Amino acid sequence: MKKITAFLLSLLMLLGVFAPATATTVQAKSSENIKATYTLKKNKKKIAKKTITLKENATVTDGLKKGWKVNDKGGFITAIDGHKQNNKKKIYWTFTVNGKQVNVSADKKKLHNKDKVVFKLSKYNG
């Protein structure tokens, strides 16, 4: 009877139905970091530039807030480090990513590695 039990146990182990307890390592997918370069301009004058390291899927706002003191309303940037919009004078913060105007708010625009973000505080002539 012992030989039959040992044989069945060996057969089950061979087939993978039964296996002795072993330690298994599960490796969680590590989140990748990305870098984005931010440039701030007031009219045509550069007032700041920083390269910010962020988590994958970060937004333009995430990086901006990591580098500067930011005020925003409804996803739109209203002030950066004390440089405020002026609605009466039609002076607003606008931004581009990789030289292209973005048509969503900064809190919705996802960044990718090596993106170049430029924020500009200037008069809107529209």
Side-chain angles (χ1 to χ4, degrees), residues 13-26:
M13 287 176 67
L14 182 65
L15 294 173
V17 175
F18 174 80
T22 58
T24 57
T25 304
V26 176

Side-chain angles (χ1 to χ4, degrees), residues 6-46:
F7 172 75
L8 288 175
L9 188 57
S10 296
L11 184 60
L12 289 173
M13 287 176 67
L14 182 65
L15 294 173
V17 175
F18 174 80
T22 58
T24 57
T25 304
V26 176
Q27 196 171 23
K29 182 185 177 212
S30 63
S31 62
E32 296 290 322
N33 285 334
I34 63 169
K35 289 187 179 196
T37 301
Y38 283 74
T39 303
L40 305 183
K41 293 182 176 183
K42 191 169 186 177
N43 295 310
K44 294 182 181 181
K45 182 182 176 190
K46 181 168 62 171

Side-chain angles (χ1 to χ4, degrees), residues 89-92 94 122-126:
K89 293 182 179 180
K90 295 185 178 180
I91 296 173
Y92 303 102
T94 59
S122 60
K123 185 166 183 153
Y124 176 71
N125 295 318

Side-chain angles (χ1 to χ4, degrees), residues 44-115:
K44 294 182 181 181
K45 182 182 176 190
K46 181 168 62 171
I47 57 174
K49 184 174 184 176
K50 292 181 185 178
T51 298
I52 309 287
T53 301
L54 301 160
K55 298 273 187 218
E56 207 171 30
N57 293 317
T59 65
V60 169
T61 300
D62 295 333
L64 192 62
K65 286 184 175 182
K66 190 169 180 182
W68 294 273
K69 184 177 184 287
V70 176
N71 295 0
D72 62 321
K73 185 175 185 178
F76 294 95
I77 306 305
T78 59
I80 303 172
D81 272 357
H83 300 279
K84 298 178 183 179
Q85 294 188 158
N86 184 325
N87 293 337
K88 288 183 181 181
K89 293 182 179 180
K90 295 185 178 180
I91 296 173
Y92 303 102
W93 279 109
T94 59
F95 73 98
T96 60
V97 177
N98 300 324
K100 296 179 182 173
Q101 195 70 38
V102 179
N103 56 359
V104 296
S105 60
D107 66 335
K108 300 277 189 270
K109 177 63 179 166
K110 301 277 186 189
L111 291 173
H112 300 94
N113 196 35
K114 299 182 182 178
D115 275 349

